[in-house]
Amino acid sequence: MRVAVVAGPDPGHAFPALALCLAFNEAGDDPVLFTGTRWVQAARAAGIPAELLRGLAPRPTDDDLDAGARIHARAAHISTELLPDLRAIGPDLVVSDILTAGGGMAAERLGIPWVELSPHPLYAASKGLPPIGSGLAPGKGVRGRLRDTLMRAATARSIRRGERQRSDARVGVGLPAKDPGPMRRLIATLPALEVPRPDWPAEAYVVGPLLWEPTNEVLSPPDGIDPLVMVAPSTAFTGAEGMLETALSGLDGAGVRVIASVLDGAPTAVPPWARAGLGRQDVMLREASVVVCGGGHGMLAKALLAGVPAVVIPGGGDQWELANRAARQGSAVVVRPPSAQALRTAVEQVLASGAYAESAQRAARSMENVADPVEVCRGVLR
């Protein structure tokens, strides 16, 4: 297949798209990645043809305070900017990140089948779940089900508004108002982070996390035999701020070592029992006993795949949802509101009990039940 993979520049979305391109490449297919400026050269260095995804920059008329308008109106604009590039490469299939919906719109405008990539659990509303983002488990009994029903009713208005915004955006670029949706949905998470629902879409396949390391550098941990705590501040703009500083303050004198994975702006000075900088996270996880992170899907998935439990300090976006799912699964402790003492207490709690590591290892074993994302995509063309 010749496949166009479309994703915005946020690491939580660009990295899974790049990982999928590598999977296509290894399977003998011909991928081209369209993404933000920052990752074009990185993708090319990894052996993936990559081009700038045009139309990402906010326009004066965009209302970025309205999430629906930001996603749908800009998606329509991106689709128009992308059309010439798609025509030029002539893909058999388009894979479009869930937040970069313009890729799917462009494919539809050209009559090309397309697949949606969700680099996290399935976040579509369900008649059997509380609203996504609440962090709540499905209610049990009459009261629990009533709670979920009332919460779904409270969010239904926002969902309908988003659907209208999407319809308006589609009509504006010559598409029918009703969105037929993608041919397939790749749900790139661990089964352990999914929640059973009575209305799972037939076209959705859990394919496991799609992970990529943005560096080949290895950051060595501090010398010693004390437990190693890996700190991974969120790369999302909604992530909690000051995580590394909070961790270093809270863990001072706790009898641990710290290694911090920092994508940008590593501190120039840290205590002798700590290291901070850019380095391969998969290598750090081999020695880590616990991860302190914001609950973004990429880092949380890496930790669980390595069988390492987490202390999660969630920020905005989907981090509260993911943090609570991991906590219910038994592999994480949620710290909110964050403080140095609360973080220290949570780290000591995880280190003192092997149950958290056992749950993380159980989450890793759930990967036995995932589909191959390349085969799912190939199935669209059969």
Side-chain angles (χ1 to χ4, degrees):
M1 297 182 297
R2 187 155 177 76
V3 188
V5 179
V6 181
D10 184 278
H13 295 264
F15 290 4
L18 208 157
L20 180 61
C21 286
L22 289 171
F24 280 129
N25 210 24
E26 291 170 6
D29 293 314
D30 185 13
V32 178
L33 176 65
F34 291 89
T35 189
T37 305
R38 183 177 186 184
W39 306 115
V40 169
Q41 291 302 325
R44 291 173 179 171
I48 300 300
E51 301 294 337
L52 175 65
L53 177 60
R54 307 178 199 280
L56 286 170
R59 300 167 296 168
T61 56
D62 289 340
D63 180 6
D64 277 3
L65 296 179
D66 185 328
R70 183 175 69 247
I71 292 173
H72 305 307
R74 192 169 297 162
H77 173 62
I78 288 173
S79 76
T80 299
E81 296 289 305
L82 183 59
L83 287 179
D85 293 325
L86 284 186
R87 288 193 183 101
I89 68 170
D92 303 300
L93 182 74
V94 172
V95 179
S96 187
D97 175 78
I98 191 169
L99 286 187
T100 317
M105 282 190 184
E108 190 178 348
R109 292 171 70 178
L110 294 176
I112 302 170
W114 71 282
V115 171
E116 182 178 82
L117 171 59
S118 295
H120 47 58
L122 177 64
Y123 287 158
S126 168
K127 65 182 180 182
L129 302 178
I132 301 298
S134 67
L136 295 170
K140 296 181 179 179
V142 174
R143 289 186 178 181
R145 290 192 294 272
L146 177 60
R147 179 207 67 184
D148 291 353
T149 299
L150 293 174
M151 292 182 68
R152 288 194 296 269
T155 59
R157 181 179 177 182
S158 294
I159 292 173
R160 289 193 297 269
R161 182 182 180 188
E163 291 171 346
R164 288 194 300 269
Q165 289 170 324
R166 190 174 186 87
S167 293
D168 291 345
R170 289 173 55 82
V171 170
V173 293
L175 291 172
K178 184 173 175 57
D179 187 353
M183 300 289 290
R184 300 287 189 275
R185 301 181 196 272
L186 304 178
I187 312 302
T189 192
L190 297 90
L193 287 177
E194 264 301 352
V195 180
R197 57 174 72 203
D199 46 6
W200 183 270
E203 75 278 5
Y205 294 79
V206 177
V207 298
L210 294 168
L211 305 173
W212 177 74
E213 294 287 341
T215 181
N216 288 320
E217 296 294 325
V218 173
L219 184 66
S220 298
D223 294 335
I225 60 172
D226 290 330
L228 184 66
V229 177
M230 178 179 171
V231 180
S234 175
T235 59
F237 73 94
T238 56
E241 296 183 358
M243 185 181 300
L244 177 55
E245 293 77 8
T246 301
L248 292 176
S249 174
L251 297 176
D252 190 9
V256 299
R257 295 172 296 149
V258 168
I259 187 167
S261 167
V262 182
L263 187 59
D264 295 303
T268 56
V270 294
W273 45 273
R275 296 282 188 278
L278 179 62
R280 290 189 63 99
Q281 293 178 330
D282 54 352
V283 175
M284 295 181 192
L285 285 165
R286 293 173 191 168
E287 191 174 339
S289 297
V290 59
V291 171
V292 176
C293 64
H297 183 266
M299 190 62 242
L300 191 58
K302 282 184 182 180
L304 295 182
L305 284 174
V308 180
V311 168
V312 186
I313 304 175
D318 63 349
Q319 294 184 6
W320 178 247
E321 178 74 32
L322 287 167
N324 280 280
R325 289 190 183 192
R328 289 198 298 271
Q329 192 269 337
S331 58
V333 173
V334 180
V335 175
R336 194 172 187 182
S339 71
Q341 183 57 53
L343 185 150
R344 177 175 180 144
T345 299
V347 168
E348 290 175 340
Q349 178 180 337
V350 171
L351 292 176
S353 172
Y356 294 99
E358 290 172 5
S359 293
Q361 292 158 13
R362 188 169 64 251
R365 290 194 295 272
S366 73
M367 282 289 291
E368 298 171 358
N369 303 309
V370 299
D372 181 338
V374 174
E375 287 303 313
V376 172
C377 289
R378 286 176 172 173
V380 173
L381 303 180
R382 291 185 183 132

